[in-house]
Amino acid sequence: MMSISGSLSRLLQRTRPLLRSQTSAFRLCQPSSIDGGAEPAQEKEEPLLIQEGAHVVLTDTRKRYVIRVTMNGEFHSHMGKVKHHDVMRTGFGGMVHTHRGKSLLACPLTLEEYVLNMPRSATPIYPKDAAAIVMLADLENGMRVIESGTGSGGLSLFLSRAVGPDGVVWSFDRRVDSLRNAARNISTWLSRNSASPMEEEQGSGDSSKDLAGFTPDFRTGNVLLHHLDLCDADLPHECADAIILDMMEPWLALSRAEKALKYSGSLILLCPNITQITFFMDALSNSGLSLTLTRVLEVSHRTWDVKLPVAHPSFRQIGHTGFIAQLHKVRKRAKGVTDPISPPPEEEEPVKEEEEDEDAGKTVV
C-alpha cells in the first residue's frame, strides 16, 4: 500500500505543472467577460466632415451633380450609387466610390453652380454677366445698391456677396411670385451648409437697412425685396451707390434712377437686345438728365475640352446672353464747358490747294 500511494503522489506531482499550464492557456482563449475583465474595445466611427443638409457637388469625368446630403440618402447615376453618409464622412476634396467601383470627387457648392441649378421663375442671369456687372459697378463692403427686376434672385445673390454684411441690396419686382421664389433661393443659399434652411422674414425684422419710405415684403440676409415697380417708386435723393436695371423698358425708370443715384455712381443696364440700349439713349438725350454713357459691351465665354494630346473648343457653347451698358452720373456743367469724359474733337487738317500747271491751257503744235 505504501508503495502504491507513493507512486500516486509522485505521479500527481509530475502532472500538476502540466495541468496548470493548460488551465492558464484555456483562460487566455476565453472572452474577457468570463474572468471579469473589461469589454473589448469597439472600433470608433469616423466623424462626419460634412454636416447633414449641406449642399455637395459630386464630379465625375463628364458631369457635376448637386445634391443635399442626408443621413439615410443615396445618390444614383450612371456611375453607380453612393450613400450620402459616405460622402459626409469623406468631406470636401475627398473621393467617394460607387458600388460599381467608380470614383466621384466631393466639392463644395459654388455660387455659379447654384444660380444655374436653382428653381427659376424667370430667365436667369448667367454668372458671366453677373460678374461683369459687379466689376463695372466696383462694389465693395458697405455699399448700397438698387436692383430693378429681381427675377429668380440670381443677380441679387452676386450683389449681396459684393456689398458684404455692412451693405444692402434693395430689389424691386412687380411680380409677387418671383419675389417669393427669389426669397426662397436666397435663404437656401445663405443656409447651404446648415441642417435647416433659413426662413425669410416677411415685413418685420431689423429695419436699420430699410430704404427710407419703403417697407420690404421679404428680408433675406442683406437683400430686401419689394413688391413694387421701380417706375412707380418715389426713391430718396442720392441714396444708392449703384443701380442695376434688368427690365424690358429701362427708359421708363430713367428719371427715378437718376434721382436716386449718387454722383459718380454707376447706372447699369442689362438688355437682351441692342435696340433697347438705343431707345434708352434716345430717351436720355431728350431728358436733360445728368447721365453720360461710359461703355456698352457683351461678355463672351468660351470653354475648351482638353484631352491629351488633343485640345479643342467645346462643341456646346453659351453664346449671346445680353448687352451691358454702363452710365455715370455727372454734375451739370455750365454752358461752354467741355465734357471731360468725351474726347476732344479732332482737328481737321487743312486741305492743300492743287497748284495750277503753268502749261495748262497751252496747245502743243
Side-chain angles (χ1 to χ4, degrees):
M1 292 292 293
M2 292 297 292
S3 61
I4 295 174
S5 60
S7 61
L8 287 175
S9 61
R10 287 193 298 270
L11 180 62
L12 290 175
Q13 291 176 358
R14 292 176 181 176
T15 58
R16 189 175 291 121
L18 180 62
L19 292 174
R20 288 176 180 175
S21 62
Q22 291 180 350
T23 303
S24 61
F26 174 75
R27 288 177 178 175
L28 290 174
C29 296
Q30 299 302 309
S32 58
S33 58
I34 295 178
D35 58 359
E39 292 287 339
Q42 298 181 355
E43 294 184 2
K44 293 183 179 180
E45 187 177 357
E46 296 182 10
L48 299 179
L49 302 180
I50 301 177
Q51 189 177 3
E52 183 180 8
H55 286 82
V56 181
V57 180
L58 297 179
T59 307
D60 60 17
T61 56
R62 296 188 303 171
K63 295 182 180 180
R64 299 170 67 88
Y65 309 93
V66 179
I67 64 172
R68 192 162 193 171
V69 292
T70 57
M71 291 299 298
N72 300 319
E74 288 185 350
F75 167 72
H76 296 262
S77 72
H78 67 284
M79 304 281 286
K81 67 177 180 180
V82 176
K83 294 183 179 180
H84 288 187
H85 190 266
D86 294 338
V87 177
M88 298 164 67
R89 286 190 306 173
T90 302
F92 293 126
M95 302 293 293
V96 292
H97 304 283
T98 68
H99 75 289
R100 294 183 178 178
K102 304 294 184 180
S103 299
L104 296 172
L105 175 63
C107 301
L109 180 64
T110 64
L111 182 55
E112 175 191 11
E113 289 170 314
Y114 179 75
V115 168
L116 294 176
N117 290 279
M118 67 184 186
R120 306 171 182 176
S121 58
T123 303
I125 185 172
Y126 277 87
K128 66 184 183 71
D129 294 327
I133 291 174
V134 170
M135 177 193 66
L136 293 176
D138 196 24
L139 300 180
E140 61 182 1
N141 183 33
M143 285 191 169
R144 298 171 178 264
V145 181
I146 293 178
E147 175 195 14
S148 178
T150 308
S152 302
L155 180 59
S156 304
L157 284 170
F158 280 91
L159 298 176
S160 171
R161 170 180 284 185
V163 299
D166 298 328
V168 62
V169 178
W170 298 308
S171 187
F172 292 81
D173 201 296
R174 58 187 179 184
R175 292 177 52 187
V176 67
D177 58 329
S178 294
L179 289 175
R180 288 197 185 98
N181 184 55
R184 286 192 296 267
N185 289 336
I186 296 172
S187 61
T188 301
W189 168 256
L190 295 178
S191 59
R192 62 192 179 279
N193 293 324
S194 60
S196 58
M198 176 187 297
E199 295 183 359
E200 61 272 10
E201 302 176 4
Q202 298 188 9
S204 61
D206 183 14
S207 60
S208 60
K209 295 183 178 181
D210 286 3
L211 185 59
F214 295 86
T215 301
D217 294 89
F218 300 93
R219 301 173 187 269
T220 51
N222 61 348
V223 180
L224 307 184
L225 306 175
H226 301 80
H227 180 212
L228 182 65
D229 193 337
L230 189 67
C231 302
D232 302 326
D234 188 12
L235 300 174
H237 186 63
E238 296 183 17
C239 61
D241 297 288
I243 299 178
I244 292 89
L245 302 181
D246 183 7
M247 47 197 302
M248 292 302 297
E249 298 175 327
W251 52 89
L252 298 180
L254 177 58
S255 59
R256 306 284 188 182
E258 192 270 347
K259 174 187 175 183
L261 186 63
K262 295 181 179 180
Y263 282 106
S264 76
S266 292
L267 173 63
I268 298 178
L269 314 179
L270 177 62
C271 303
N273 301 314
I274 193 62
T275 52
Q276 294 171 289
I277 306 293
T278 59
F279 288 163
F280 183 90
M281 294 307 302
D282 182 63
L284 176 61
S285 63
N286 298 323
S287 66
L289 299 176
S290 54
L291 291 170
T292 182
L293 180 65
T294 304
R295 51 185 151 181
V296 178
L297 56 91
E298 60 175 328
V299 181
S300 299
H301 187 100
R302 191 181 189 189
T303 58
W304 280 69
D305 291 333
V306 178
K307 297 179 181 180
L308 297 179
V310 178
H312 59 82
S314 302
F315 296 115
R316 298 184 62 183
Q317 299 283 353
I318 298 175
H320 169 77
T321 54
F323 293 97
I324 301 175
Q326 181 187 24
L327 299 95
H328 279 93
K329 184 175 181 180
V330 297
R331 300 187 183 277
K332 292 185 177 181
R333 305 178 300 274
K335 292 184 178 181
V337 179
T338 58
D339 189 349
I341 299 178
S342 59
E346 297 182 358
E347 297 181 359
E348 298 182 357
E349 296 181 359
V351 179
K352 296 182 179 180
E353 297 181 358
E354 296 182 359
E355 297 180 358
E356 295 182 357
D357 192 352
E358 297 180 354
D359 297 333
K362 296 183 178 179
T363 56
V364 179
V365 180

